[in-house]
Amino acid sequence: MSSQEFQHVTVLLHEAVDGLNVVSDGVYVDGTFGRGGHSRLILSRLGEKGRLVVFDKDPQAIAVAHELAARDGRVSVIHDGFSSFQTALDGLGIGQIDGTLFDLGISSPQIDDGSRGFSFRFDAPLDMRMDTTRGISASEWLMSADEDEIHEVIKNYGEERFSRQIARAIVAQRAVGSIDTTGKLAQIAAQNVRTRERGQDPATRTFQAIRIFINRELEEIAAVLPQAAGRLKSGGRLAVIAFHSLEDRIVKQFIKRYSTHAPLPKWAAVREADLPQPPLKSIGKAIKASADEVAANPRARSAVLRIAERTDGIFSEDGRAV
């Protein structure tokens, strides 16, 4: 099976695109193109004057995006992480936008293609880079990082209770040989995770943590949210799908921060109603996949969609509310 034949089932497809409230002649951004499920539905709701900018780090995803752009002149493709949001839109001559969507985390083709090194289900080179054209692989990092750094990454990004034991075992293993395959890393995790969660491989949290670290996933989310929200027109929408608690916490806190005022002290001489309007408004409650969607695609089980709308409130140049 070729790299482009791996299937990706788009999660919360209609819920996310409905949440954008697409206008026919609008300008939209799909910050995580993947295999284009959300993008194609957005395009189906855009008219001839509409425009869609798509981002992705993954060269395989970008190849699919370029195929779409070759057929549809409304599409512009950016091969980069979405933290380059502002710079990329400036380069395209785009100012304010009508909406942006982020489908965070790893895609099904990346997991299912064993050669990418994301999954412990396949014994393959331990790479884990979403963008294989730049940066260091997971193997290279594990062979050079000190024990404390490895421990902190696995603990903080994987929430793994046995992070210290795993880090110590990694350092011991590399003293006698390389850690260059997913199988070797999975074996180390299996030997050091003493209690297993029901239905979860002992390597799950370690692989998640290293993948997040190698790709700077949480840093990119924190960097892009104020950029994206600050670009929205009044009434424009931000929609974000997160797949684990670390991602969702960043999104939830961001929307709360910019859609509410900090509590005023009792002695304050100003009423909350007299304060400037917050720049965002949270739209509805968090949305999760339906039972039918989860039954058809178990990977949708952990997905959480949050939506916010830009108000007339002002963002400062650094994205902070004023």
Side-chain angles (χ1 to χ4, degrees):
M1 181 178 285
S2 70
S3 61
Q4 293 194 17
E5 289 176 330
F6 291 97
Q7 296 299 307
H8 177 65
V9 180
T10 306
V11 174
L12 292 170
L13 172 60
H14 291 278
E15 293 88 343
V17 177
D18 288 348
L20 289 177
N21 199 22
V22 174
V23 295
S24 177
D25 60 350
V27 179
Y28 291 86
V29 176
D30 184 347
T32 44
F33 178 79
R35 292 302 184 268
H38 290 117
S39 286
R40 290 183 178 87
L41 186 55
I42 293 170
L43 287 168
S44 74
R45 299 183 183 185
L46 287 175
E48 293 182 0
K49 294 182 179 180
R51 189 168 183 185
L52 177 66
V53 181
V54 303
F55 286 74
D56 212 293
K57 291 180 177 181
D58 192 317
Q60 295 175 6
I62 287 296
V64 177
H66 279 304
E67 291 176 0
L68 178 62
R71 298 192 302 269
D72 192 326
R74 298 172 297 173
V75 179
S76 298
V77 180
I78 305 295
H79 180 194
D80 205 348
F82 49 62
S83 61
S84 66
F85 197 95
Q86 295 270 40
T87 303
L89 293 191
D90 287 345
L92 292 170
I94 294 173
Q96 289 187 303
I97 60 176
D98 296 275
T100 185
L101 167 65
F102 299 100
D103 182 359
L104 304 176
I106 192 169
S107 69
S108 295
Q110 289 169 330
I111 297 172
D112 294 337
D113 183 353
S115 68
R116 300 297 301 274
F118 287 108
S119 177
F120 45 76
R121 294 188 290 117
F122 311 97
D123 190 17
L126 185 60
D127 194 311
M128 290 198 188
R129 290 174 296 166
M130 291 182 179
D131 186 348
T132 53
T133 67
R134 66 191 84 176
I136 66 169
S137 69
S139 175
E140 290 170 324
W141 177 70
L142 287 174
M143 293 301 292
S144 61
D146 63 35
E147 180 182 317
D148 285 343
E149 184 181 7
I150 297 170
H151 156 63
E152 289 295 326
V153 166
I154 297 174
K155 175 186 175 183
N156 294 333
Y157 294 155
E159 300 177 301
E160 173 58 73
R161 289 179 296 159
F162 301 103
S163 56
R164 176 61 72 183
Q165 294 91 324
I166 294 168
R168 188 175 297 128
I170 287 170
V171 172
Q173 171 59 34
R174 76 187 190 197
V176 297
S178 61
I179 305 172
D180 55 358
T181 68
T182 53
K184 290 178 182 178
L185 179 59
Q187 183 177 27
I188 290 171
Q191 291 169 344
N192 289 276
V193 174
R194 295 195 298 270
T195 58
R196 304 186 180 190
E197 298 171 66
R198 181 184 295 273
Q200 185 177 93
D201 190 282
T204 298
R205 293 180 179 273
T206 296
F207 271 67
Q208 171 188 294
I210 295 173
R211 185 204 85 218
I212 289 172
F213 173 77
I214 289 294
N215 295 287
R216 299 185 68 254
E217 292 177 38
L218 300 187
E219 291 88 346
E220 287 228 331
I221 296 168
V224 77
L225 290 176
Q227 295 183 50
R231 285 275 183 165
L232 290 173
K233 297 176 182 177
S234 178
R237 294 283 182 89
L238 167 70
V240 187
I241 303 171
F243 284 84
H244 61 72
S245 61
L246 296 176
E247 295 172 340
D248 186 51
R249 188 178 305 138
I250 294 171
V251 178
K252 180 180 180 180
Q253 290 176 350
F254 174 82
I255 293 175
K256 181 178 180 180
R257 177 180 181 184
Y258 291 106
S259 61
T260 58
H261 292 297
L264 292 171
K266 292 181 179 180
W267 48 261
V270 63
R271 297 178 303 169
E272 186 169 349
D274 296 327
L275 293 172
Q277 184 180 22
L280 290 180
K281 176 175 67 175
S282 181
I283 301 297
K285 296 181 179 180
I287 299 170
K288 297 188 176 182
S290 68
D292 287 344
E293 181 171 4
V294 171
N297 179 19
R299 288 174 179 167
R301 182 180 296 110
S302 59
V304 179
L305 168 65
R306 297 185 187 274
I307 301 167
E309 182 176 289
R310 187 76 157 85
T311 70
D312 292 325
I314 300 172
F315 270 73
S316 67
E317 290 184 1
D318 65 358
R320 293 182 177 275
V322 296

